[in-house]
Amino acid sequence: MIRDQETLNILLASIRRFVREQLVPHEQQVAETDEIPPALVAQMRELGLFGLSIPEQYGGLGLTMEEEVLAAFEIARTSPAFRSLFGTNNGIGSQGILIDGTEEQKNAWLPRMASGEIVGSFALTEPGYGSDAGSLTTSAVRDGDHYIINGTKRYITNAPEAGVFTVMARTDATRKGPGGVSAFIVERGTPGISLGKKDRKMGQQGAHTCDVIFENCRVPASCIIGGKEGQGFKTAMKVLDKGRLHISAICVGVAERMLEDALRYAMERQQFGQPIAEFQLIQAMLADSKAEIYAARSMVLDAARRRDNGEDIPTEASCCKLFASEMCGRVADRSVQIHGGAGYVSDYAAERFYRDVRLFRIYEGTSQIQQLVIARNMIKAAGA
């Protein structure tokens, strides 16, 4: 649902210009240094990128799902590492507080996230539990007006930069599964929190992850999101539809960039006295990529509009995440193939994107988890 087309057009044009003029020229530098220059982060704040999905009453832009998807298409036409820095503030880092938090919690954290003053991080995955998140073992034991948290979280996006963590911990040790899990807002610097070394990853240099370790970390009981025990896993599930649509839109935007690069190379590269774009087998790869990108874009926009209309869309969101992330991987592979030997060296962006986009099929729910969600929802609907 687009509320004001003119205002949206101005925003999209500003993002498009920022990506083209500021981010793309710094892609290689970020890949080599594993750091995003502070000046670029400051510009991200000025553009309002940290608060795209946070309501205006808390200092954000308050984009609808459709508007956010359109913005994501533009943001993604560069290295995914740039988006990752402000992505958690718009997604899992803020949405749990927004959806289930108390008004006091919202006022305390959302304005600071929207401005980019602090970076939010979502601490769910553990060394022993990833897809089986409902079986997590990090504990939060009540002690008077506080809880004492113990456990380790793994692969936590933006943890090295985070000013606040949304931490999933088990408050009821006698209750197995997701029902005994609660969500806590834990501020960086709280005694008992320590960080592991930054993970060395296959791709997305500049986007940082690491372990977050809680050792007798004492937090006030008022830090439970919504002020109620046992609601943490439900809170996490509520933000997934939105997060999966956002990542799906990012997959579309990155795929469009990769196809654009591949097409340009094919039109410039000469073999046998003509551009390789004239060869039918190259054309087949270009055409397949174009068709799949169009399909994914259409899916994501349709699901976003349904969500804005108030529909419950867990199946559609999983369909988008599954198709768009797998599509993005296929486009990356074709892009390298079209580039030939050049696609295997780091002088060309195709090599970097090939590594960067592999992650999309893993986080926010693996492709296999999406298949299970889709199938189980189908079975449930058929039996209703």
Side-chain angles (χ1 to χ4, degrees), residues 11 14-15 18 42-50 52 61:
L11 173 64
S14 297
I15 293 174
F18 176 60
Q43 288 179 276
M44 291 176 187
R45 293 192 184 104
E46 290 172 14
L47 268 174
L49 297 183
F50 283 89
L52 291 174
L61 298 182

Side-chain angles (χ1 to χ4, degrees), residues 328-380:
C328 192
R330 290 190 292 270
V331 172
D333 187 75
R334 294 184 194 118
S335 177
V336 170
Q337 196 70 12
I338 289 169
H339 279 78
Y344 201 70
V345 298
S346 59
D347 291 347
Y348 290 83
E351 181 270 342
R352 185 183 68 250
F353 278 121
Y354 183 80
R355 291 180 288 104
D356 286 348
V357 305
R358 186 60 182 85
L359 184 58
F360 293 144
R361 292 155 60 190
I362 298 174
Y363 66 4
E364 297 279 352
T366 66
S367 290
Q368 289 67 40
I369 288 295
Q370 307 308 325
Q371 289 172 317
L372 292 177
V373 170
I374 294 164
R376 288 171 179 172
N377 287 349
M378 290 170 63
I379 294 167
K380 183 178 179 180

Side-chain angles (χ1 to χ4, degrees), residues 261-279 282 337-343 348:
D261 288 352
L263 176 60
R264 184 186 307 110
Y265 183 85
M267 294 175 69
E268 294 172 353
R269 174 66 169 165
Q270 296 273 334
Q271 287 289 287
F272 303 100
Q274 60 183 321
I276 64 172
E278 297 298 323
F279 301 147
I282 296 293
Q337 196 70 12
I338 289 169
H339 279 78
Y348 290 83

Side-chain angles (χ1 to χ4, degrees), residues 121 123 125 138 151-156 159-160 165 167 193-196 210-214:
S121 189
T125 301
T138 294
T152 298
K153 298 298 184 176
R154 180 145 293 172
Y155 311 133
I156 305 305
F165 299 90
V167 182
I193 296 179
S194 61
L195 303 179
C210 72
D211 284 2
V212 183
I213 302 112
F214 298 89

